[in-house]
Amino acid sequence: MYLYSLIFLFLASVNAYADPGACSGDCWTHDPGLYQRKSDGKYFRFATGGGIHIASADSLEGPWTDDGYVLPNGSSINLDGKNNLWAPDLHYRDETYFLYYAVSSLGSQNSAIGVATSKTMEAGSWTDHGSTGVESTSASPYNTIDANWIAVGDTQYLNFGSYWNNLYQVELASGLKVKSGATPHQIAYNASGIHRQEAAFMFERNNYFYLTFSGGVALGYNDTWPAPGEEYHISICRSTSATGGFVDKDGVSCLNSGGTLLLASHDYVYGPGGQGILNDKSKGLVLYYHYADTRIGKAVEDYQFGWNQLTWENDWPTARLRAGVPAASDDILQSPHAILQSNVPPTIRNLYALAINPEVISYLTRLVEPEWLLELWAFRLRVTTPDDTIAKEVEKLVSYNIWWTTWLKEFQNRDNCDALLAILLYILPNVRSIEWLWVEASTRYALKLVDKITLHQGQFKESGPLGKLEKVLLKGTGRTAGMIELKKILPLFHLPSLHGFSAQMVKDFNRLLSEMKGSSNVTHLELRQSTTLTGFELLIGLCSGLKSFKYYYEPGPFMFKKTATIIAHLETRKDTLETLCLDSDSYSMLQVLTDSTSGLDHCESFGN
């Protein structure tokens, strides 16, 4: 138990970030600039890539459409890179939208910051005004790229800079030109290595000015991975002045390599950066950025648009998940559980649970926020009476008429895995997949919860327990008590989000199933080491859109006859079935489907 505690304490030190918000349509971006139109709330996203791209959407989530370029003919600034503009930054002033851009080339200090204006931000509406006068050469102490505008009263400033001594600021005379005689001054500097710090973005909140910036290796992930922690990431400092004095959360000056980490690589998100802050009309302050989605690709052309609503603590923002178990409503049958709303960690995707016997402690892996699990463990110890709101709700859903015990008593028993699994399924609405080791005698409360959820499906819907569950893997532990009774797991098939179901050691010979009502959205069905009288063919009938069926029989007295019946029943799915995987003996019976299986992907050796 001591080692177990040490493992969890170690995991609790890992930072956990929320996944990016939803995005549909054209989600590619690089060094994005984002603004919401004042007149109608429409979103416009600008990005670096052969010029400044424009994408638009009526919702931050999309669908986004690519509308063209800001300046399709490039800039009037006569420098290398004038047709490949970088790093857009947007603001609105005097009923006009201003967009700053950089003209430069990789590795060069021969750079300038230009500006274009528009009344609508639509493609074709932008007017180029050329250079702002903020320029640099190889003799300059800075590099004039990655512009960011901020105003303090009537005074306007432009932040800029990159690897050459990092971040600077200069006063503007207007949105179009630098103030005559103004000298840029340094506001942040990273003394380590080759001084990888760029992409300043400043904003104001509660009498503080916050300076965000990107650091680390920004590109080239498709060629080589930087050492862990050296890839792009987003940091932040703050000050009571917009012109200097920025420090991080530990009080370290941003002129002395300071910076509190705001967002870094996690899960499938790699190298987030090129960030900005949008004051969204409905969502409040939103952090936006680009990132490499490791599920898609690591090259720049694969970068994705990311965004997260910021949460605040002691006037410091965070994109991390919040730990702890929030309060719940009093009546689960009257109103949705409060814990199923915004405070639930949204990045928990895969739930692995053991329910073997009372001596085995359940274990959970691949939880993005293990410190939250520690809070749950503390919650388990805190629940000592039925007065706890969450406990009352779960008890109402999973109670059994057992005179000697209740779910609450079993939950307070540190070693009862089934009771713990029941509450986890209840309070984690974003779980996408479950791997469940099944024992009939020890699987009671979690199963009852699934049954109740499907019964009250109209109330819970997608925001409720198991509302996003896509895949289930059940594993029986033996050929008698350890086998999974088909009738008990049928409620899973009625979860609308479930598309993949895989199970080992399923049986239905102890209880005949006369019918299975309704239909299921399951499209991929796999049954290994399983045996049946009538249930499996009825299960095939339940899955009206079945695309993939994998079957490996369990030897028994009815095996050969029933396997033939199951295979014959697949003819009812000949219009949807794309993949059929069978063990060798079952495959030999496939002649009954000769006319129905042409074009199928066959897997003769499956299971052997």
Side-chain angles (χ1 to χ4, degrees):
M1 189 63 193
Y2 176 72
L3 177 60
Y4 180 83
S5 300
L6 282 181
I7 292 172
F8 271 90
L9 287 173
F10 170 76
L11 289 175
S13 67
V14 179
N15 289 323
Y17 298 98
D19 280 357
C23 182
S24 64
D26 182 7
C27 293
W28 173 86
T29 197
H30 181 210
D31 291 341
L34 183 67
Y35 216 80
Q36 196 171 11
R37 189 156 60 190
K38 300 294 183 180
S39 60
D40 58 3
K42 187 174 183 177
Y43 295 86
F44 288 82
R45 191 185 71 218
F46 302 84
T48 300
I52 304 297
H53 287 260
I54 305 175
S56 63
D58 293 326
S59 166
L60 190 57
E61 294 86 352
W64 290 90
T65 59
D66 188 346
D67 299 333
Y69 290 89
V70 172
L71 300 174
N73 297 319
S75 171
S76 60
I77 299 172
N78 190 23
L79 286 175
D80 288 345
K82 66 179 182 179
N83 294 315
N84 185 20
L85 309 180
W86 292 354
D89 178 81
L90 279 293
H91 77 270
Y92 180 79
R93 194 175 180 92
D94 299 329
E95 299 183 350
T96 301
Y97 297 95
F98 292 76
L99 183 148
Y100 296 101
Y101 59 83
V103 178
S104 188
S105 56
L106 285 175
S108 173
Q109 274 183 279
N110 294 320
S111 310
I113 293 172
V115 61
T117 59
S118 169
K119 293 294 185 180
T120 65
M121 293 192 288
E122 301 279 355
S125 70
W126 291 93
T127 300
D128 183 27
H129 297 274
S131 177
T132 59
V134 182
E135 302 177 351
S136 61
T137 68
S138 58
S140 304
Y142 44 73
N143 192 17
T144 53
I145 65 171
D146 293 358
N148 168 244
W149 175 93
I150 190 169
V152 182
D154 293 330
T155 306
Q156 302 179 56
Y157 299 96
L158 201 64
N159 305 309
F160 62 89
S162 185
Y163 287 22
W164 283 270
N165 294 309
N166 301 151
L167 307 184
Y168 281 74
Q169 184 184 84
V170 67
E171 187 176 342
L172 298 176
S174 68
L176 301 178
K177 289 293 180 181
V178 67
K179 183 178 179 180
S180 178
T183 301
H185 65 277
Q186 194 178 46
I187 57 174
Y189 178 67
N190 178 6
S192 65
I194 60 172
H195 321 300
R196 290 189 173 109
Q197 190 178 81
E198 57 190 2
F201 192 101
M202 191 180 295
F203 65 101
E204 184 181 6
R205 179 186 182 271
N206 284 359
N207 298 317
Y208 283 107
F209 292 91
Y210 295 86
L211 176 64
T212 67
F213 49 87
S214 298
V217 179
L219 303 168
Y221 303 148
N222 53 324
D223 298 321
T224 182
W225 290 86
E230 292 187 6
E231 72 277 10
Y232 229 27
H233 53 269
I234 302 169
S235 299
I236 189 167
C237 290
R238 77 180 186 190
S239 173
T240 55
S241 168
T243 59
F246 292 93
V247 297
D248 65 16
K249 200 171 183 179
D250 295 323
V252 179
S253 171
C254 264
L255 286 169
N256 190 27
S257 305
T260 296
L261 201 59
L262 181 59
L263 185 65
S265 299
H266 61 98
D267 198 14
Y268 59 85
V269 175
Y270 189 80
Q275 80 296 328
I277 302 292
L278 173 70
N279 192 0
D280 188 275
K281 292 181 179 179
S282 61
K283 294 179 172 62
L285 292 176
V286 171
L287 172 71
Y288 62 86
Y289 50 92
H290 73 247
Y291 68 96
D293 187 329
T294 56
R295 302 168 303 179
I296 298 174
K298 298 173 289 184
V300 173
E301 55 266 27
D302 297 319
Y303 283 2
Q304 297 293 295
F305 171 57
W307 63 272
N308 296 88
Q309 288 179 263
L310 293 176
T311 57
W312 294 82
E313 184 176 352
N314 297 324
D315 281 322
W316 283 100
T318 179
R320 293 191 177 98
L321 300 171
R322 295 179 60 187
V325 180
S329 61
D330 291 331
D331 192 347
I332 186 63
L333 299 181
Q334 295 298 320
S335 61
H337 194 312
I339 207 167
L340 306 178
Q341 309 304 318
S342 60
N343 288 334
V344 173
T347 59
I348 294 176
R349 290 292 182 264
N350 304 298
L351 177 61
Y352 293 77
L354 279 177
I356 301 178
N357 57 56
E359 284 71 44
V360 178
I361 296 177
S362 65
Y363 77 95
L364 301 169
T365 60
R366 300 188 186 179
L367 286 181
V368 180
E369 192 180 26
E371 65 267 30
W372 184 85
L373 185 60
L374 281 182
E375 292 289 336
L376 179 64
W377 202 260
F379 166 72
R380 168 207 285 266
L381 300 178
R382 177 172 60 83
V383 179
T384 56
T385 71
D387 294 332
D388 186 277
T389 307
I390 299 175
K392 287 167 61 179
E393 295 181 1
V394 176
E395 181 84 334
K396 181 181 295 186
L397 287 172
V398 304
S399 60
Y400 274 81
N401 294 322
I402 303 175
W403 66 270
W404 51 270
T405 190
T406 64
W407 170 82
L408 182 61
K409 289 180 180 179
E410 296 297 303
F411 180 64
Q412 291 169 332
N413 176 359
R414 182 181 294 270
D415 295 333
N416 190 295
C417 312
D418 178 49
L420 175 61
L421 181 57
I423 195 170
L424 287 173
L425 294 180
Y426 181 55
I427 64 178
L428 300 180
N430 295 303
V431 170
R432 296 309 203 259
S433 66
I434 299 176
E435 182 174 336
W436 192 341
L437 190 57
W438 183 284
V439 175
E440 285 282 316
S442 301
T443 304
R444 178 168 62 242
Y445 299 114
L447 192 62
K448 185 69 174 291
L449 181 71
V450 173
D451 192 33
K452 280 294 184 72
I453 288 171
T454 56
L455 183 64
H456 297 287
Q457 206 171 84
Q459 172 200 333
F460 290 115
K461 297 185 179 179
E462 187 176 343
S463 64
L466 304 182
K468 297 180 181 178
L469 185 63
E470 299 170 356
K471 298 178 182 179
V472 170
L473 172 59
L474 299 181
K475 295 181 179 180
T477 58
R479 294 188 180 181
T480 53
M483 293 196 76
I484 303 168
E485 190 171 338
L486 179 59
K487 189 168 185 176
K488 291 186 177 181
I489 61 176
L490 281 179
L492 287 165
F493 283 82
H494 293 288
L495 294 172
S497 59
L498 192 71
H499 296 290
F501 183 89
S502 178
Q504 291 178 305
M505 297 186 178
V506 178
K507 64 178 181 180
D508 78 294
F509 52 79
N510 288 331
R511 184 176 298 178
L512 295 177
L513 301 175
S514 59
E515 62 176 330
M516 296 184 187
K517 297 180 180 179
S519 63
S520 172
N521 290 331
V522 169
T523 56
H524 293 70
L525 178 60
E526 178 178 346
L527 299 167
R528 291 174 176 248
Q529 296 171 271
S530 300
T531 188
T532 179
L533 286 176
T534 59
F536 292 177
E537 57 210 70
L538 293 173
L539 196 60
I540 292 170
L542 190 68
C543 302
S544 56
L546 191 65
K547 295 181 179 180
S548 173
F549 181 70
K550 301 179 181 181
Y551 178 67
Y552 179 50
Y553 70 84
E554 172 71 0
F558 306 107
M559 175 273 298
F560 200 81
K561 177 182 177 182
K562 297 314 298 179
T563 299
T565 304
I566 293 168
I567 293 175
H569 197 72
L570 286 173
E571 188 172 5
T572 63
R573 295 290 166 258
K574 63 183 180 181
D575 293 333
T576 61
L577 198 63
E578 299 172 357
T579 301
L580 178 62
C581 296
L582 302 170
D583 57 83
S584 297
D585 290 336
S586 300
Y587 190 83
S588 66
M589 305 175 194
L590 201 57
Q591 63 268 21
V592 300
L593 284 175
T594 300
D595 296 332
S596 304
T597 60
S598 59
L600 283 178
D601 294 325
H602 293 144
C603 314
E604 179 175 353
S605 61
F606 170 78
N608 292 337

